[in-house]
Amino acid sequence: MRFLAFIILFVLIAVMGWATWQEHLNSTQYVMDNYYGTIWFNLLWMALVVSGGYYILKVKLHKKLPVFLLHISLIIILLGALITRVNGTTGMIHLRENVEGNTFISEGSLQNIDLPFSLKLKSFQVEYYPGTMSPSNYVSIVNVVDKDDNKTFETKISMNNILKYKGYRFYQSSFDEDLQGTILSVNHDSTGIGVTYLGYFLLFFSMLWILFDKKGRFIELLKKQGKINPVGKNKKGFKKSIFFVLLLMVSLSAKSADKNNMLSEDGATLSREQADKFARLRVDYHGRICPFQTLAIDFSTKLTGKPRYKYANAEQVLLGWIFFPGKWQHVPLFEINNPKLKRLINNSGNACFADFFHPDKSYKLAAYQHEMYGSEKKTGFAKEALKLDEKIQLIMMLQEGELIRMFPIVFEDGNIRWYGPADHLPDNIEKNEGLFIKNFFPLYYEYMKENNAKDAIFLLEKLDSFQQKQALGTLPSESRFKAELLYNNLNLFSWLFKICLTIGSVAVFFFIFYMLRNKSLYRVQRIFFWLLVSIFVIQTFGLCLRGYVGGRLPMSNGYETMLFVAWCAMLIGLVARRYSFLIVAFSFLLSGFTLLVAHISSGNPQITPLVPVLQSPLLSIHVSLIMMSYGFCGFMLLTSLMALGLKLFAPRNFRTKRNVLLMKELNELFMFPATFFLGAGIFVGAIWANVSWGRYWGWDPKEVWALITFLLMGFTFHSKTLKWLRNPVVYHLFVLLIFLAVLMTYFGVNYVLGGKHSYAG
């Protein structure tokens, strides 16, 4: 009977995993009707609670109060979910300006439900980031009219700012295209939310208690690991490591400088002096005012995979396409691998822009638009053609003037909009301003043809003055502007992964070499520790710089979360380095591999404004906790791979057996913070979802797989009952299974399953 809870838990995990795949194959509504919303699925959870309660009594868990409270908290959370399901009501209310509404449409039954008061929309507003047309918030100003209590008051409903009144909660959901109406989500579930939040509080409290319980397993493992590999202090080692890192930075920058000074003289782009002047102008790019250099780097990286092409830097690449498109159309920028695509384009592995067009100027990929965009299951040809099509379209957007919005215009209402040279300008614009915008690029081109560099630079300076005058008060501060230029020029994260992987590989080599010879790693540990400190400082500086430039914590997209995981790996190495030299070595490897994935994947390196719903401090806490957990999971993966490698290839003696066991205990130690950070992250995310959308759980694929990972981790704490987990080899294999769930949560959902949490790219 005591195994029943674990059997049911495993069945639930399998069902939820299968349901996410069915959602991918069918639809969200399909899995809600056939899985999550069914009676049998809810009965499975009830059976888990009953069998889990029996297990708690059977093993007398109340004698270990913090562990007992943790299990009780999970039961309370499930009880709150049941109350919400039975007693909660959700729906939508549509309000038009100056029209009272006192009913909302139920989400489940689609019936009209009366409210004990009425709402009247006074106005709906879209707020924008200063100087751009990128929305920063959606705001509904409503009057609440309560005739029963003779109350009338005005309130504001916006993203992450809800209206609570008489047990009802209203959330900004959508709005009418004419901006004369708003759509609000309605939620009425005071009891279920209260019970669920009580469960969350008990969960957080019990997890902290377990970590600091002097009689608990976590403290026992900490003390045991601390006696194995103490690390000393050595200032001399610190100085040497700092010198080594600085030497690497100088050599990399020197190498870059050599390339940058080798200018092409074929007349295909501007001189470095002119390009540098352009780099410091401003442009409205993805709803953010940033240096022209930032747009150039993203443009060049999108086309070539690098912020340069041969001897031309990013600005020269972009300016070459602007002023000398006839020459750049014949530059072989694109690599082609698919045989069918090669035959279609030019029968070669490299292609230029002109190769994608027939002699009659028709587009060669036009006939394959449905195959590229309309089919869910894409062939290898369609996938590669899609990537190339995006690059071709980007160039065409540039040639049509859509990317270079460098000219701010102030409207009568005080709003500022940035225009490109090909945009239709407002009718009421001053004549001189309109002439300047329309003639800037043609005039600059004439100066360049005449080799009149002096007047060309004067024209750039005039545009700089025009931008500052027109957009005064909405431009980023001078310090933030310079910080972005510094961030672009340092390009820290693109070369840090090489250093981390190199140092990590060397550290692992030393570990294996000294372990096989049974020698002390004391001196080697000190050197690598201070190298770890040095790289951590550089990573911290890079993240802070990116955060300062973006005006927010850098954790809003896939690329930034990968950077944060890499930083977490270094932080974990610093905090836990005294427990094993492997932790230091794996810090470098995990950080390096994470930065490498961020560098080569389709993750988005652009710094963009946060969409309104993400402007919540709970987002930063949620992401931070999840990423810290993933960092620990990465360490456990590397440790288990090392242990399994020793088991397979090292001599089968007492020393090997001991090392495999020690690595199991090291993973047991890491499993505590990994599980607790993940659990806390999941439920902080639930609170954030409840504050933003009115529901704390929606069975989104990423939510489900995060829960699956959390539940799988839970198995590892029950080795007294699940005796097979006492075997070190089996434990390490189970860690691999957990990491596969992590990969599915982070990458599988993003790139395969999709969902509201998906941010592939």
Side-chain angles (χ1 to χ4, degrees):
M1 184 69 179
R2 62 191 301 181
F3 294 102
L4 182 60
F6 297 103
I7 295 172
I8 295 173
L9 185 58
F10 181 79
V11 171
L12 274 168
I13 289 172
V15 168
M16 289 188 292
W18 178 251
T20 60
W21 181 248
Q22 288 299 306
E23 182 173 354
H24 172 67
L25 296 176
N26 296 285
S27 66
T28 300
Q29 191 60 47
Y30 175 84
V31 294
M32 292 302 299
D33 293 341
N34 293 278
Y35 291 90
Y36 304 133
T38 60
I39 295 176
W40 65 264
F41 185 74
N42 287 273
L43 287 175
L44 269 178
W45 284 104
M46 293 176 65
L48 178 65
V49 171
V50 173
S51 58
Y54 173 81
Y55 176 82
I56 290 172
L57 295 174
K58 184 70 176 179
V59 299
K60 299 179 180 179
L61 207 59
H62 61 277
K63 294 183 177 180
K64 298 180 179 179
L65 191 55
V67 180
F68 175 74
L69 286 179
L70 186 143
H71 286 76
I72 293 298
S73 70
L74 295 174
I75 293 175
I76 292 175
I77 290 171
L78 290 174
L79 177 62
L82 178 63
I83 295 173
T84 295
R85 180 170 178 79
V86 174
N87 193 48
T89 305
T90 59
M92 293 284 184
I93 183 171
H94 182 203
L95 300 175
R96 294 288 293 178
E97 279 192 7
N98 300 316
V99 178
E100 281 194 22
N102 61 357
T103 63
F104 68 93
I105 300 175
S106 171
E107 190 177 80
S109 62
L110 300 181
Q111 295 178 345
N112 286 325
I113 299 178
D114 293 330
L115 291 168
F117 51 89
S118 62
L119 301 175
K120 180 190 288 187
L121 178 65
K122 186 176 180 182
S123 66
F124 176 80
Q125 305 163 1
V126 180
E127 297 177 351
Y128 299 94
Y129 284 100
T132 75
M133 297 302 292
S134 180
S136 64
N137 208 349
Y138 305 105
V139 181
S140 297
I141 307 297
V142 299
N143 287 326
V144 179
V145 181
D146 188 346
K147 295 180 181 179
D148 293 340
D149 292 348
N150 197 25
K151 281 184 180 181
T152 301
F153 61 92
E154 182 180 294
T155 187
K156 180 175 75 171
I157 304 172
S158 60
M159 309 306 294
N160 298 309
N161 182 41
I162 66 177
L163 165 64
K164 298 179 183 178
Y165 190 65
K166 286 193 170 182
Y168 289 87
R169 296 178 300 153
F170 298 86
Y171 306 78
Q172 183 63 51
S173 177
S174 186
F175 55 91
D176 296 342
E177 290 185 7
D178 61 0
L179 303 184
Q180 302 297 308
T182 187
I183 299 174
L184 305 176
S185 298
V186 187
N187 184 288
H188 187 255
D189 178 37
S190 56
T191 306
I193 291 174
V195 173
T196 303
Y197 277 21
L198 173 62
Y200 292 164
F201 171 77
L202 280 178
L203 179 71
F204 300 148
F205 176 74
S206 60
M207 289 191 301
L208 286 174
W209 192 351
I210 289 172
L211 290 177
F212 292 98
D213 183 12
K214 294 181 179 180
K215 298 180 180 179
R217 176 66 173 166
F218 180 68
I219 296 297
E220 176 189 338
L221 289 168
L222 270 179
K223 291 178 179 178
K224 188 172 183 179
Q225 289 290 332
K227 295 176 182 179
I228 298 173
N229 285 304
V231 178
K233 298 180 180 180
N234 187 299
K235 293 183 179 180
K236 188 175 180 181
F238 170 72
K239 292 178 180 179
K240 286 183 177 180
S241 62
I242 289 290
F243 175 76
F244 173 70
V245 174
L246 291 176
L247 183 62
L248 282 172
M249 293 176 64
V250 171
S251 63
L252 286 170
S253 61
K255 184 178 180 182
S256 175
D258 289 341
K259 283 192 173 183
N260 288 338
N261 287 329
M262 298 174 63
L263 301 179
S264 173
E265 297 181 358
D266 57 4
T269 188
L270 304 185
S271 69
R272 177 57 57 85
E273 180 185 14
Q274 296 290 328
D276 287 347
K277 287 288 185 180
F278 258 103
R280 286 161 175 76
L281 294 172
R282 300 160 188 84
V283 62
D284 181 357
Y285 179 48
H286 283 299
R288 190 174 68 89
I289 309 304
C290 63
F292 181 87
Q293 182 189 64
T294 301
L295 167 62
I297 289 173
D298 286 352
F299 179 84
S300 177
T301 303
K302 182 68 174 178
L303 292 188
T304 68
K306 297 179 181 179
R308 64 184 183 276
Y309 178 73
K310 292 186 176 179
Y311 307 124
N313 64 15
E315 300 93 284
Q316 290 176 304
V317 171
L318 179 57
L319 291 167
W321 276 102
I322 292 174
F323 292 107
F324 309 99
K327 293 184 178 181
W328 281 84
Q329 286 180 9
H330 299 283
V331 177
L333 296 174
F334 313 116
E335 181 180 349
I336 302 178
N337 297 309
N338 183 270
K340 180 181 176 181
L341 201 54
K342 287 181 181 180
R343 292 191 297 271
L344 175 67
I345 302 302
N346 64 359
N347 289 312
S348 173
N350 294 296
C352 61
F353 179 83
D355 290 330
F356 287 81
F357 297 87
H358 294 291
D360 62 355
K361 305 301 182 183
S362 60
Y363 186 38
K364 292 181 180 180
L365 295 180
Y368 303 93
Q369 293 296 310
H370 182 269
E371 188 175 346
M372 290 188 292
Y373 293 96
S375 175
E376 291 186 2
K377 296 181 179 180
K378 294 180 174 59
T379 62
F381 167 83
K383 290 179 180 178
E384 188 170 343
L386 178 61
K387 292 179 181 179
L388 289 168
D389 182 65
E390 290 174 350
K391 297 178 181 181
I392 299 300
Q393 297 304 322
L394 182 66
I395 294 173
M396 296 179 72
M397 288 174 62
L398 176 67
Q399 293 181 338
E400 293 171 2
E402 294 183 26
L403 290 183
I404 43 177
R405 293 190 169 92
M406 303 177 68
F407 306 98
I409 296 177
V410 183
F411 287 81
E412 292 181 356
D413 59 2
N415 288 326
I416 298 172
R417 181 176 176 183
W418 290 65
Y419 286 82
D423 290 339
H424 177 72
L425 300 178
D427 295 333
N428 59 345
I429 188 175
E430 291 186 12
K431 184 177 180 180
N432 290 337
E433 291 179 357
L435 288 173
F436 177 75
I437 294 172
K438 290 297 182 183
N439 294 324
F440 173 82
F441 280 99
L443 185 58
Y444 186 88
Y445 182 67
E446 288 298 320
Y447 287 149
M448 294 309 302
K449 282 174 58 179
E450 298 169 1
N451 201 26
N452 188 352
K454 182 179 179 181
D455 286 345
I457 290 178
F458 175 76
L459 188 62
L460 293 177
E461 292 173 347
K462 189 173 180 180
L463 176 55
D464 180 60
S465 300
F466 177 83
Q467 291 180 337
Q468 295 192 49
K469 177 185 175 182
Q470 292 290 107
L472 184 65
T474 64
L475 296 177
S477 65
E478 187 66 19
S479 61
R480 181 167 290 178
F481 191 79
K482 290 181 178 179
E484 183 158 359
L485 292 172
L486 176 63
Y487 177 85
N488 291 338
N489 291 322
L490 287 177
N491 200 17
L492 287 175
F493 299 111
S494 67
W495 53 265
L496 267 179
F497 77 85
K498 302 173 186 175
I499 294 177
C500 289
L501 289 177
T502 301
I503 297 176
S505 300
V506 173
V508 171
F509 169 79
F510 272 109
F511 174 80
I512 296 174
F513 180 80
Y514 277 75
M515 183 189 67
L516 293 177
R517 295 199 169 197
N518 199 25
K519 289 186 177 181
S520 172
L521 279 163
Y522 184 74
R523 292 184 179 180
V524 175
Q525 283 177 301
R526 291 181 299 180
I527 296 173
F528 280 96
F529 167 70
W530 288 114
L531 283 172
L532 184 68
V533 171
S534 305
I535 301 297
F536 177 76
V537 169
I538 295 173
Q539 279 196 9
T540 303
F541 173 74
L543 277 176
C544 291
L545 191 61
R546 185 180 177 94
Y548 178 65
V549 169
R552 55 173 173 75
L553 289 175
M555 288 182 281
S556 67
N557 56 40
Y559 178 80
E560 290 180 344
T561 55
M562 294 300 282
L563 299 185
F564 191 72
V565 170
W567 182 83
C568 289
M570 286 288 175
L571 178 62
I572 293 170
L574 285 173
V575 174
R577 48 101 186 179
R578 69 189 182 94
Y579 301 118
S580 173
F581 177 65
L582 270 181
I583 297 178
V584 176
F586 289 166
S587 290
F588 285 109
L589 288 177
L590 180 60
S591 183
F593 279 123
T594 307
L595 291 174
L596 176 61
V597 171
H599 180 70
I600 66 176
S601 71
S602 58
N604 186 358
Q606 299 165 358
I607 302 173
T608 57
L610 282 177
V611 295
V613 74
L614 298 183
Q615 297 175 22
S616 168
L618 290 175
L619 167 67
S620 301
I621 299 172
H622 166 65
V623 174
S624 300
L625 291 170
I626 296 287
M627 292 303 107
M628 287 294 289
S629 175
Y630 289 173
F632 278 107
C633 288
F635 278 103
M636 291 190 292
L637 169 72
L638 294 175
T639 303
S640 290
L641 288 175
M642 175 71 76
L644 293 172
L646 288 176
K647 188 69 177 178
L648 288 173
F649 304 110
R652 297 188 178 183
N653 52 33
F654 172 77
R655 189 185 304 160
T656 299
K657 187 176 180 180
R658 178 178 177 273
N659 285 327
V660 172
L661 177 60
L662 289 176
M663 290 180 185
K664 172 188 177 290
E665 292 179 343
L666 182 61
N667 271 356
E668 282 188 74
L669 176 68
F670 282 162
M671 192 63 74
F672 280 90
T675 305
F676 293 166
F677 276 131
L678 181 60
I682 289 172
F683 294 113
V684 167
I687 294 171
W688 172 44
N690 192 46
V691 170
S692 298
W693 295 291
R695 57 90 178 155
Y696 42 82
W697 196 262
W699 296 108
D700 184 75
K702 188 175 282 287
E703 293 175 348
V704 173
W705 273 100
L707 178 62
I708 288 173
T709 307
F710 179 68
L711 295 177
L712 285 174
M713 289 177 170
F715 277 94
T716 63
F717 298 99
H718 298 86
S719 58
K720 288 186 177 180
T721 302
L722 306 174
K723 296 182 180 180
W724 47 273
L725 279 171
R726 300 178 193 177
N727 185 314
V729 173
V730 174
Y731 188 93
H732 289 303
L733 289 172
F734 198 78
V735 167
L736 300 189
L737 176 63
I738 291 172
F739 194 77
L740 287 176
V742 170
L743 291 178
M744 191 65 192
T745 306
Y746 191 83
F747 292 104
V749 173
N750 289 347
Y751 299 102
V752 179
L753 299 181
K756 294 179 180 178
H757 287 76
S758 176
Y759 42 72

